Amino acid sequence: MTFSALPEALPGLTDRESIADALYRAVLAFDHGDDALLRSAVTDDVAAEIPGSPPANGIAAVKAAVFDRVAFGLDTTHFLSNVRVCMESGASTAQVSCSALAQHVRKGKGFEPGQHRFMSGGMYMCDVVKQGGSGLWKIKTWKANIIWVDGDPSVMTGQ
């Protein structure tokens, strides 16, 4: 059975909900291997610092450093909680933080016993901007602070 993510722009969201949705779109893009959803979630010049990957500046660098390997080489589920948004009323920029739990499994091995899993828990801190034309909020900077890991780290190589 195939699942697909909801549309990029959801109707009826407040700015604070739309800001959180930018983060949700980003991690769902990894889980679904959805390039269009990723592009709807991050700016073209996004700067990302994710442990285990080199710092990436720009969407092409993010795709090369982490997205293509994780989104297409692994089966994943990412969960975000404790989302907090800091923004002035009517502003087009904001900061958002959240707790993150990321589960990674070797492609197609999720139901097999053994060391096919790698999980991490941490925090994300992002700067977001509201896009003039589309009105979508997008991640401009994305910093991940991984606090703990469990499982086989070689899973992250996609092999």
Side-chain angles (χ1 to χ4, degrees), residues 4-9 21-22 24-30 32-42 67:
S4 60
L6 293 172
E8 296 163 8
D21 191 58
Y24 299 144
R25 289 192 317 271
V27 298
L28 283 169
F30 278 80
H32 292 278
D34 190 330
D35 183 71
L37 194 60
L38 179 69
R39 290 177 184 280
S40 81
V42 301
F67 181 78

Side-chain angles (χ1 to χ4, degrees), residues 30 48-56 61-70 74 104 118 120-121 124 142-149 153-158:
F30 278 80
E49 294 178 25
I50 300 171
S53 299
V62 168
K63 286 179 58 53
V66 65
F67 181 78
D68 290 343
R69 174 175 41 90
V70 173
L74 303 171
H104 309 87
F118 184 71
S120 64
Y124 293 163
W142 185 353
K143 295 180 181 178
N145 178 25
I146 305 303
I147 298 168
W148 61 266
V149 298
S154 73
V155 167
M156 298 305 293
T157 66

Side-chain angles (χ1 to χ4, degrees), residues 25-131:
R25 289 192 317 271
V27 298
L28 283 169
F30 278 80
D31 294 343
H32 292 278
D34 190 330
D35 183 71
L37 194 60
L38 179 69
R39 290 177 184 280
S40 81
V42 301
T43 61
D44 289 339
D45 62 345
V46 62
E49 294 178 25
I50 300 171
S53 299
N57 292 302
I59 186 72
V62 168
K63 286 179 58 53
V66 65
F67 181 78
D68 290 343
R69 174 175 41 90
V70 173
F72 303 116
L74 303 171
D75 291 329
T76 65
T77 51
H78 291 78
F79 299 97
L80 305 181
S81 64
N82 305 327
V83 177
R84 299 195 66 216
V85 176
C86 180
M87 70 175 287
E88 297 291 329
S89 180
S92 61
T93 62
Q95 289 185 311
V96 59
S97 66
C98 67
S99 300
L101 179 65
Q103 300 180 57
H104 309 87
V105 179
R106 287 190 173 94
K107 196 77 156 168
K109 303 288 186 181
F111 290 96
E112 293 182 15
Q115 292 295 322
H116 300 293
R117 294 160 182 73
F118 184 71
M119 188 164 27
S120 64
M123 300 291 299
Y124 293 163
M125 175 62 84
C126 301
D127 293 307
V128 294
V129 296
K130 189 172 189 176
Q131 302 297 289

